[in-house]
Amino acid sequence: MSAVYLLAIDQGTTSSRAIVFARDGSIVGSAQREFRQHFPAEAWVEHDADEIWQVTLAVCREALTDAGVAATDIAGCGITNQRETTVIWDRATGRPVHRAIVWQDRRTADWCREHGGDEREGWLQARTGLLLDPYFSATKIRWLLDNVDGVRQRAEAGELAFGTIDTWLLWQLTNGREHATDASNASRTLLFNIHSQDWDDELLAFFGVPRALLPEVHDNAADFGTIDADHLGAAIPVGGMVGDQQGALVGQACFEPGMVKSTYGTGCFLVLNLGREAVTSRHRLLTTVGYRLNGETTYALEGSIFVAGAAIQWLRDALHLIEQAPETQAMAESIDGTDGVYLVPAFTGLGAPYWDPEARGAIFGLTRDTGIKQIVRAALESTCYQTRDLVEAIGDDAVTPTELRVDGGMVANDWVCHCLADVLQMPVARPAVIETTALGAAYLAGLQAGVYDSLEEIGALWRAQQTFAPQREAAAMQGLYDGWLEAVRRVRSE
Ligand SMILES: Nc1ncnc2c1ncn2[C@@H]1O[C@H](COP(=O)(O)OP(=O)(O)O)[C@@H](O)[C@H]1O
Ligand SMILES: O=P(O)(O)OC[C@H](O)CO
């Protein structure tokens, strides 16, 4: 019998990746390509959905070649994606009516402000677990319906389809046969009721979105159709679909309530498994679908920090204090502390749990002795302090985790992992397979294909590459964290 492989498509904000995994979760081959970012106006961000499809198809082919695996040896494909990003296309031609509006795009901020208010926000949070914010898909769809010629009429006539990027790729991969999404992606639109697990007519009426636009919503491991043989050389079933942060929750095998993962890329997304209970946050964290399997929903609480690795990019590209991100490790290690220097990277406001779009970044505590190393270390520390802000909030809303599973480009930095363990006063585990998002999608496809029988079987495959235990004293860390809270207080707009 030939070996069994799984193909994961990871369609991110700046690049598409495809990875071929073996049954044990090891990587056999991969490929990655970046695509163009479009910034047509201040705070607007768009992607060309056709370009996304083309680069994604290309990396799938390249990954199979890199792995030396034929499409016929792939038991199933899983798709994971940048979430919320919105595409509307013509069902007859498969052509988008406009460029995709990306999750980062803020063009609907005024609409959100005008239609918000405590009562309305409470109503939305109770149904969707989310906030009224341009981040989510609903107001992006509305903008397309209101601003692109003929789109509202064509949508109402059933001629058009809406999808997040998972749905768009599935449509293309199946040559227009499948118009479907999964519960985790649907739960990021503001149109999906996370309790009834269905599109919600009252939400659709509020945002003015015709139901005819919407895809079917499946479990995360389900029959999503089959990739047409002309794309990859043989028909491949699509058995898994999941938003990327929930994909990492699965890839990190956080299957028990109270388990939490945190992904450190450009920003940072921390996701806690809530089990069957859709806890409502008092700290403006998001209640979302972690995953839905066999019709049973596991909920999750999510906190997002806008700037994590992006602060390191800023040190490199704007301040020219470093040439490469990995240099920051030795610089931080070479001093005992920042001598009271704090860097609050609120470049685009503050995310969870503050949600203060008007706040701006600052560096505090500068003296004649402050040098590059102190500023670099303060930038790394800011990511750890912001993680503690989120952990404190989820502890108050739900449960304080006992361990943090981390992934993403920034945790290649050992010093960051040590610092996280110290600031959180809890062990920080870095897994052997760092591509957790794609791995999660592959696992879901493997569940559907019968490669795995259960989440327990998948959980047993998870291995820590290294676990970092707290080394510095709790009292000293509390003192440093108090200094951070004071620095945040000083940058806030209210
Ligand atoms: N050794 C390192 N130390 C600190 N930051 C790092 C290191 N390596 C990468 N980074 C940061 O991690 C980010 C890249 O991580 P990645 O997971 O690829 O992000 P994304 O998927 O958001 O593009 C960059 O912002 C970079 O500055
Ligand atoms: O593509 P990423 O990794 O930046 O993730 C984007 C998130 O899904 C947005 O919610």
Side-chain angles (χ1 to χ4, degrees), residues 191-270:
L191 302 173
F192 188 73
N193 186 317
I194 58 171
H195 308 287
S196 67
Q197 287 291 305
D198 199 359
W199 303 118
D200 183 313
D201 285 327
E202 290 182 39
L203 294 170
L204 295 178
F206 174 63
F207 289 106
V209 173
R211 203 176 241 269
L213 271 176
L214 301 179
E216 270 184 56
V217 183
H218 296 322
D219 285 355
N220 291 96
D223 177 4
F224 287 95
T226 304
I227 301 178
D228 238 57
D230 50 351
H231 294 312
L232 299 176
I236 299 176
V238 181
M241 196 128 108
V242 66
D244 57 9
Q245 301 309 321
Q246 289 95 332
L249 189 74
V250 174
Q252 288 272 32
C254 291
F255 299 137
E256 297 297 325
M259 292 181 80
V260 57
K261 74 87 202 176
S262 199
T263 300
Y264 297 89
T266 310
C268 158
F269 295 88
L270 185 136

Side-chain angles (χ1 to χ4, degrees), residues 32 40-41 67 70 80 129 153-154 267 278 300 302 307 351 367 369 373 398 417 423 445 453 461 482:
Q32 177 169 10
T80 184
Q153 294 87 310
R154 289 165 70 202
E302 173 173 322
V307 176
T367 67
D369 293 328
K373 289 173 181 171
C417 297
V423 170
D453 289 332
L461 295 172
D482 289 344

Side-chain angles (χ1 to χ4, degrees), residues 30-108:
S30 66
Q32 177 169 10
R33 284 194 192 202
E34 294 194 355
F35 56 88
R36 275 187 70 189
Q37 308 290 315
H38 299 267
F39 306 106
E42 161 82 25
W44 291 28
V45 189
E46 296 179 354
H47 290 161
D48 178 336
D50 278 327
E51 186 186 1
I52 286 187
W53 158 235
Q54 292 305 331
V55 298
T56 304
L57 180 60
V59 293
C60 287
R61 291 176 176 153
E62 289 160 10
L64 289 171
T65 305
D66 185 49
V69 164
T72 45
D73 289 331
I74 301 286
C77 170
I79 301 173
T80 184
N81 55 292
Q82 54 164 319
R83 304 163 304 168
E84 299 98 10
T85 298
T86 295
V87 194
I88 296 182
W89 65 94
D90 186 312
R91 289 178 186 271
T93 63
R95 302 285 314 167
V97 299
H98 189 271
R99 280 204 290 246
I101 304 184
V102 177
W103 59 277
Q104 298 154 321
D105 189 292
R106 309 295 300 173
R107 76 185 64 185
T108 58

Side-chain angles (χ1 to χ4, degrees), residues 265-266 309-310 312-313 325-326 328 408-410 413:
T266 310
I312 307 308
Q313 289 166 357
T328 57
M410 204 175 176
N413 187 319

